[in-house]
Amino acid sequence: TSGVMDAVQKCVDAGAKVVSMSLGGAGFSQLAYDQFEEHYDTDGVLIIAAAGNGGNGAFSYPASYKHVMSVAAVDSNKNKASFSQFNDQVEIAAPGVSVKSTIPGNAYASWSGTSMATPHVAGVAALVWSHFPDCSNKQIREALIASAEDL
């Protein structure tokens, strides 16, 4: 957890407004909770994280902290991916099944997971924010939720 928190701090220090985290699985940490809360409420950063791939309703951190936007995965038919976490902290879903990605050797492969869905949401957040630079992180988060298709 400390390595992740150090990396997030470096992003914030470098001026990032959106932080995308395709990782998870850690348990709850009050220290991490407090740091995410500070980045969200004080620094104005929108932190977006993969909900987890356990296919159940268990909380996975950091996505399940309330100051982090939790992303589930859907397939090409807009169905919840069988592996995707589902709980009351998940706010949005994005394509996460058989998503093309770059791999070493100047090649591509298809991967599945909420870690593949998360960058879609982070990219849209950054794009929307670039068009509405005076908005807050909270407004961008609400705009994503309000404009997402309810599945």
Side-chain angles (χ1 to χ4, degrees):
T1 301
S2 66
V4 170
M5 299 314 297
D6 289 345
V8 171
Q9 185 64 55
K10 287 179 182 179
C11 291
V12 173
D13 291 345
K17 295 180 88 168
V18 177
V19 175
S20 179
M21 297 189 296
S22 288
L23 52 84
F28 179 88
S29 159
Q30 189 62 50
L31 183 64
Y33 177 95
D34 293 344
Q35 189 172 343
F36 284 123
E37 179 180 40
E38 181 178 341
H39 292 320
Y40 187 74
D41 288 338
T42 304
D43 300 326
V45 176
L46 181 56
I47 301 171
I48 302 168
N53 298 322
N56 57 48
F59 290 139
S60 178
Y61 296 92
S64 291
Y65 293 119
K66 76 176 189 174
H67 299 96
V68 176
M69 188 171 199
S70 182
V71 181
V74 293
D75 65 20
S76 60
N77 294 315
K78 301 180 185 177
N79 297 311
K80 181 184 76 65
S82 61
F83 55 79
S84 186
Q85 294 299 96
F86 52 91
N87 57 54
D88 62 3
Q89 293 301 311
V90 172
E91 296 179 72
I92 198 164
V97 177
S98 299
V99 177
K100 292 274 189 212
S101 184
T102 56
I103 59 172
N106 199 26
Y108 296 90
S110 292
W111 300 94
S112 297
T114 57
S115 288
M116 300 306 290
T118 299
H120 288 91
V121 176
V124 170
L127 180 63
V128 171
W129 217 337
S130 75
H131 288 280
F132 300 95
D134 295 330
C135 284
S136 71
N137 58 338
K138 295 172 178 101
Q139 290 171 314
I140 297 299
R141 186 177 189 169
E142 288 303 316
L144 293 179
I145 294 166
S147 61
E149 183 178 353
D150 189 4
L151 301 176

